[in-house]
Each structure stands twice: as structure tokens, then as C-alpha cells.
Amino acid sequence: MAFRIIASQCTQCGACEFECPSGAIKFKGEAYVIDPEKCTECKGEFELQQCASVCPVPKTCIPA
Amino acid sequence: MSSPMISLKSLTSTTTMNQLLATAKSGACASSSCGSPAKPEDVDSATWEKIKDHPCYSEEAHHYFARMHVAVAPACNIQCNYCNRKYDCANESRPGVVSERLTPDQALRKVIAVANEVPQLSVLGIAGPGDGCYDWKKTKATFERVASEIPDIKLCLSTNGLALPDHVDELADMNVDHVTITINMVDPEIGAKIYPWIFHDHRRFTGLEAAKILHERQMLGLEMLTARGILTKINSVMIPGVNDEHLVEVNKWVKERGAFLHNVMPLISDPVHGTYYGLTGQRGPRAVELKTLQDRLDGGARLMRHCRQCRADAVGLLGEDRGQEFTLDRIPGEVRYDASKRETYREVVARERGDHVTAKSEAIGMVKAAGSSGLLLVAVATKGGGRINEHFGHAKEFQVYEASAIGINLVGHRKVEQYCRGGWGEESTLDDVIAALEGIDILLCAKIGDCPKDQLTEAGVRVTDDYGYDYIETAVSALYAAEFGLEPLAATA
């Protein structure tokens, strides 16, 4: 029940961070990471996961 | 028409304040035209006040004033086929080179450092990578912080328009009086070929639906800006076979909605940048195709012809990029704004400019009055101030002026490799310069050696340094007169 970010593909644009309805995405050290404790996969909020929908690089925000 | 030549160069190189003042004072204004309003005839005075210091909005201003961009808003809500987000936004910056991304605080430090060292600085822009209206919090924080430290700096924003309607009121409140919207289509069928997807209202849209939403939001945003008196520039990327013909229609739509300026830019689609267009072999337009389209659009919205497709973190006059002098690691942790250099520079420019405008209008008047059907394409080596003041061997670009029955107009520029490096000319570079000057009748520069001069002449490019340090238009009008057997003006400066 969580998504994760493939750091090597991430362009660090940060769109996922402010689109995440759960506040689960933070910039830590050198990369954006999703806190699996907080991630709800947007269930109950949106039809599709916001991080994956806004991410410009395919297959970068994926199910953990 | 004779005024002492004031060296703008000495004001703009990094120097001490005392030197700066001494230089400024030595150029006492002896011209009878001093203080004349340096205003082109085709805009009203309120508009002129807004654009007179903006190098992108006023071709006249681009001789004197500089812009800087800060990359603070990397998030984007659109995917464009000419952009590869792994690198940089290919629309607003030269692709393939990753810009330095800044926090609003870092951006403030950088703007102050540049304002202290580059007295020509008049405009701060946020222009990608990413979209400033979408990544709004960072854009807003940056504008607010800079405006409170440097109140007279013009704030400028470039956007794809999707999130624009949400922020027009805040833009107006923050005195952002220049906004550029990239509009490549008004027909969603064509839009679907340019934009694979958009992110709007918390979901991703694709195809026709995406293009339709984008189109409606762009038109709404433009109308809202016009209603609030914010000047808009429309950037369009010319994509041969996709939207090249269609841009005539785009021009009509944006003009009807009050766009001030239309800038048609050539698609950059080098495969190494990894964009969709680059990888699928979509070509960009040739210089002559771009010019033909621009000529067709003349008479619609005012056209920008002096665009250099600068990097998102460019610093300096258009056509130069001093960005590398101001990377974060070169800026001290604490910087304080010192207004003195910018103020002195503005005083000198105000004087020099009045003189230039008079010289320019005399020269243009003469060419128009001549009633000749002749057409002359002149390339000019210049480093600003509206004068022929660059040595041939030092030029990295030539500005192209066209003299004809409609006057003397800047119609473009040709980028070249610098011919002279460390005192020696490169033979192979000269061949490239000659190739870049295809179609040019005469090349003007401040100085040129006998050797390159002979070779250029042999290759069919006439070149002269007889008009070194003259105003560009004055020299062009004299050439035009000589070429078509008219009575020339007395030389100035």
C-alpha cells in the first residue's frame, strides 16, 4: 500500500511533493523519497496516484 | 547630429565606482537632441514606459539593457514533444545543459550579486525549466523577495498558460507587468501532435482532450492579462509540417486577444537532447523558412525578431551569457544590494539613447524617402549601444538589418564561432563565418584585419570597418544611399 520513487530516473522537479495529498513525499539528502507509512496510494482522494500522474519520466513513481 | 561618443563598455565592465562616475561625467551631453523621448513611433507612451528597459519586449532597449533568469520552479504540468525533462526545457533554454536550480533564497542572493556587477540589469525573469505558474509557491516567493530588495527591477514570467488563469490577480498585485505564454496552436487537432499529456485538475489528460483544455486555458489567461493591462509576449515554436502554416492562425487569435508581441522561434531538435522530436527525426526550420514565416506575419501582432533563445539561467545582454560568472559557488553567502552602478548606468543611457533615437529616425526617414525598390541585407558586429563597436574577430554573432522602402529593421542574427582567438585567426572558422553570412550583402564591423577582409571579399561578402563606432542605422542608410545612388546623410558620431 505504498508507492516509491526510482531515484536514478528522478529529475527532482518536485511536482510530486506538492501534489501528494498525504504529505508523504520529502526531499531527503540527494533525492525525493516516499514515506511508506504515510503513502495511501491516493485511495479515497483521487482515482489515480498523483505522484505517478504528474511525474514527467515514465515508470519513476511505481508501486513499492 | 554630433554628440561625444560615450563608452558604454567602460560602464559595464567590472570596475570601481570612482572609475564609473569619472567615465559617466566625461561624456557631457552636447547634443541638441538631448532629452528627446527615445520612443518608437508605433507604441503609446504608457506602453513605452513599460517596455523601454526590457530587452525582450523592445528591440531598441535590447541594445542597452540586460535580463537574468533564475531557475526556481522546476515542476511542470505539461509534457511537450520538444522537451526532454531529463535535461532542461528545450523551449526556454538551450537544451542539453542542466541549469543550476535555485531556492528562492539562493535566487535572491544571485540577483543581488548580478545587480551589483551588471549595471545593465533591468529584468528578472522566471522561465523554466518547469512552469512558474504551476510551481507557483517558489515563483511567488522569489518575486516577493527580489522586489523588496530591488524595487525598480522588472519582473517577468514565462508560462505554458495551463495554470495561468489561477494566478493572474496575484501577478497583477505583485506588479509583474510582462508575461510570456508559449502558444503553439489554437487548433486542438494540431495541439495533440505537440503535447502528449497535461496534468490539470488533479489528473492527467491526453490527446485531443488535453490539447482542448490547454487551448482554452491559454486563451482565458491571455484575455485576463490583457484586461489587467499586463503586457504579453506569445512564444511559438515553429515545427515544420506540424504547426508552421498554422502559426498564421495563432498570430491572428493572439492579436485579437491583445497580445503585445509575437515571437516565433525555431524548433531545436538535435537527437542528442533526447526529445521526442529529436528522436523521431522531426527537423527544425531553416533560417530562411523562419524569416519567410515572420515576414508573412508582419502586420499582425508585433513580431519579436531579436530573440536568441537564451538559457533559463542566462545573465546579461541578449546575445551574451555571463551566467557562468554568477554560479552559486562564486557568490558570497552574504550579499548587500548596492544601487549605485545601476543608477549611474541609467543616467548615461538616458542621454546616449536620446541621441541614438534622433540619428536612427533621420536614417530611417532618408531610406524611406528615397523611394527606391532596392533591398539591402547588412550584418553588423556590435556589443550594444546601437553602435558598430565590435571587432570582426571578436564577434560571436552578427545582427542582421534589412534596409528597404519600409525603413531599416533588425530582422535577425547569425551566430558564428569567434574567428580570432589569442591574436590568431582560425582558417577553418573563417569558412564557417562565410557560410553563416549567406545572403548578406555587406558586413560592418569596428575593425578587421587585411587577411580575413581579403578572404571574405574573395568569397563574395563585402566587408568594411569605415563606419566603426557609428550608429548602426546611420551606417546602413549611408550604404543604402551609395548602393542605390541616393544622396547620403552627413556622417554622425
Side-chain angles (χ1 to χ4, degrees):
Chain A
M1 275 293 287
F3 264 52
R4 68 187 172 100
I5 294 168
I6 311 291
S8 61
Q9 303 212 65
C10 173
T11 66
Q12 302 186 351
C13 74
C16 56
E17 183 189 23
F18 63 79
E19 291 294 353
C20 177
S22 322
I25 303 181
K26 287 277 172 308
F27 193 69
K28 276 194 181 153
E30 293 288 295
Y32 281 98
V33 290
I34 299 179
D35 181 348
E37 299 290 311
K38 288 186 178 167
C39 176
T40 62
E41 297 193 359
C42 297
K43 289 222 164 70
E45 299 251 18
F46 301 105
E47 202 179 318
L48 285 170
Q49 292 75 25
Q50 296 293 288
C51 55
S53 301
V54 75
C55 184
V57 189
K59 295 178 187 148
T60 298
C61 295
I62 57 168
Chain B
M1 268 315 306
S2 67
S3 82
M5 162 80 190
I6 304 164
S7 167
L8 291 169
K9 169 100 171 64
S10 58
L11 288 171
T12 55
S13 54
T14 302
T15 174
T16 66
M17 196 55 217
N18 283 343
Q19 281 174 304
L20 194 65
L21 280 171
T23 317
K25 283 175 181 158
S26 69
C29 184
S31 163
S32 58
S33 67
C34 196
S36 75
K39 183 173 93 62
E41 296 147 9
D42 59 340
V43 295
D44 62 73
S45 58
T47 307
W48 175 243
E49 276 308 306
K50 283 187 177 175
I51 64 167
K52 70 184 173 58
D53 300 343
H54 198 310
C56 307
Y57 279 73
S58 161
E59 186 241 305
E60 201 267 340
H62 106 281
H63 295 295
Y64 303 106
F65 289 104
R67 49 68 178 111
M68 72 177 289
H69 290 158
V70 287
V72 293
C76 196
N77 48 359
I78 288 188
Q79 181 63 49
C80 304
N81 279 335
Y82 46 72
C83 175
N84 176 1
R85 301 274 297 279
K86 273 269 182 195
Y87 299 97
D88 230 337
C89 181
N91 172 24
E92 295 298 345
S93 72
R94 270 199 306 259
V97 190
V98 177
S99 316
E100 191 173 58
R101 288 173 187 175
L102 307 169
T103 65
D105 282 327
Q106 289 170 330
L108 174 65
R109 252 171 67 209
K110 182 166 171 166
V111 175
I112 292 174
V114 171
N116 287 350
E117 287 300 320
V118 181
Q120 303 110 313
L121 183 71
S122 63
V123 175
L124 168 69
I126 296 180
D131 187 84
C133 275
Y134 175 56
D135 206 340
W136 177 248
K137 277 188 190 159
K138 292 175 197 155
T139 299
K140 191 177 180 199
T142 304
F143 279 160
E144 283 175 345
R145 275 167 225 188
V146 171
S148 73
E149 289 287 326
I150 312 177
D152 72 328
I153 203 163
K154 285 191 184 302
L155 304 176
C156 189
L157 177 69
S158 198
T159 175
N160 60 44
L162 183 57
L164 174 63
D166 303 338
H167 303 296
V168 171
D169 286 330
E170 290 165 280
L171 288 168
D173 289 346
M174 285 193 294
N175 288 323
V176 174
D177 49 16
H178 300 79
V179 173
T180 296
I181 316 174
T182 300
I183 300 180
N184 298 318
M185 54 88 200
V186 291
D187 176 357
E189 295 274 356
I190 290 171
K193 296 177 189 164
I194 303 171
Y195 307 101
W197 58 265
I198 68 167
F199 185 82
H200 176 65
D201 204 12
H202 299 292
R203 58 170 278 220
R204 189 179 279 207
F205 294 83
T206 58
L208 214 52
E209 195 184 7
K212 198 162 171 282
I213 295 168
L214 177 62
H215 165 63
E216 281 162 8
R217 301 279 291 172
Q218 286 177 334
M219 294 302 126
L220 174 63
L222 173 55
E223 285 163 8
M224 290 173 77
L225 291 170
T226 301
R228 285 159 184 79
I230 297 174
L231 287 184
T232 50
K233 172 158 72 69
I234 306 304
N235 277 356
S236 296
V237 182
M238 178 181 177
I239 311 162
V242 177
N243 74 344
D244 46 350
E245 285 298 314
H246 181 59
L247 289 179
V248 176
E249 187 70 13
V250 171
N251 181 270
K252 222 166 80 189
W253 280 61
V254 301
K255 189 194 180 190
E256 279 167 12
R257 284 159 184 78
F260 177 71
L261 196 63
H262 192 186
N263 176 25
V264 179
M265 307 180 296
L267 169 72
I268 300 172
S269 67
D270 192 324
V272 302
H273 303 139
T275 63
Y276 173 81
Y277 281 149
L279 297 174
T280 55
Q282 169 66 52
R283 70 173 182 94
R286 303 200 307 278
V288 59
E289 291 175 310
L290 178 67
K291 186 174 179 295
T292 304
L293 176 62
Q294 287 173 333
D295 289 347
R296 272 177 72 190
L297 297 179
D298 246 337
R302 198 177 277 103
L303 282 188
M304 174 176 184
R305 301 252 200 170
H306 59 285
C307 178
R308 307 294 203 286
Q309 293 186 289
C310 54
R311 287 175 52 100
D313 53 3
V315 172
L317 294 170
L318 301 193
E320 80 171 8
D321 185 3
R322 297 177 61 182
Q324 294 310 307
E325 293 169 46
F326 299 100
T327 50
L328 268 191
D329 57 327
R330 294 178 180 220
I331 298 171
E334 286 260 336
V335 284
R336 288 183 70 84
Y337 176 50
D338 172 7
S340 53
K341 255 193 203 178
R342 286 180 71 233
E343 282 169 3
T344 308
Y345 179 76
R346 278 162 184 263
E347 282 171 27
V348 176
V349 165
R351 274 185 272 152
E352 168 79 359
R353 210 173 188 182
D355 195 48
H356 179 198
V357 165
T358 309
K360 184 176 166 178
S361 71
E362 279 178 17
I364 291 175
M366 192 214 78
V367 167
K368 278 185 181 169
S372 164
S373 61
L375 197 141
L376 200 63
L377 222 49
V378 182
V380 183
T382 174
K383 48 187 168 193
R387 294 187 188 260
I388 305 156
N389 52 8
E390 180 70 291
H391 290 214
F392 169 76
H394 296 165
K396 292 183 185 126
E397 65 165 31
F398 298 104
Q399 297 189 1
V400 180
Y401 284 77
E402 187 176 272
S404 72
I406 57 165
I408 302 171
N409 294 296
L410 178 70
V411 293
H413 60 100
R414 307 276 176 96
K415 284 200 172 83
V416 292
E417 251 328 282
Q418 199 175 321
Y419 166 67
C420 184
R421 291 199 186 269
W424 297 96
E426 277 288 336
E427 286 304 313
S428 59
T429 310
L430 194 58
D431 293 339
D432 293 341
V433 173
I434 290 168
L437 291 172
E438 186 196 347
I440 299 293
D441 297 305
I442 302 168
L443 173 67
L444 297 175
C445 57
K447 214 157 181 48
I448 182 167
D450 287 336
C451 181
K453 189 174 182 175
D454 291 345
Q455 291 195 43
L456 280 162
T457 310
E458 212 172 291
V461 182
R462 282 183 283 164
V463 50
T464 175
D465 53 14
D466 290 351
Y467 298 94
Y469 302 98
D470 271 2
Y471 285 126
I472 294 167
E473 290 84 1
T474 306
V476 172
S477 73
L479 288 169
Y480 190 82
E483 199 73 9
F484 301 106
L486 314 164
E487 200 61 37
L489 284 177
T492 57

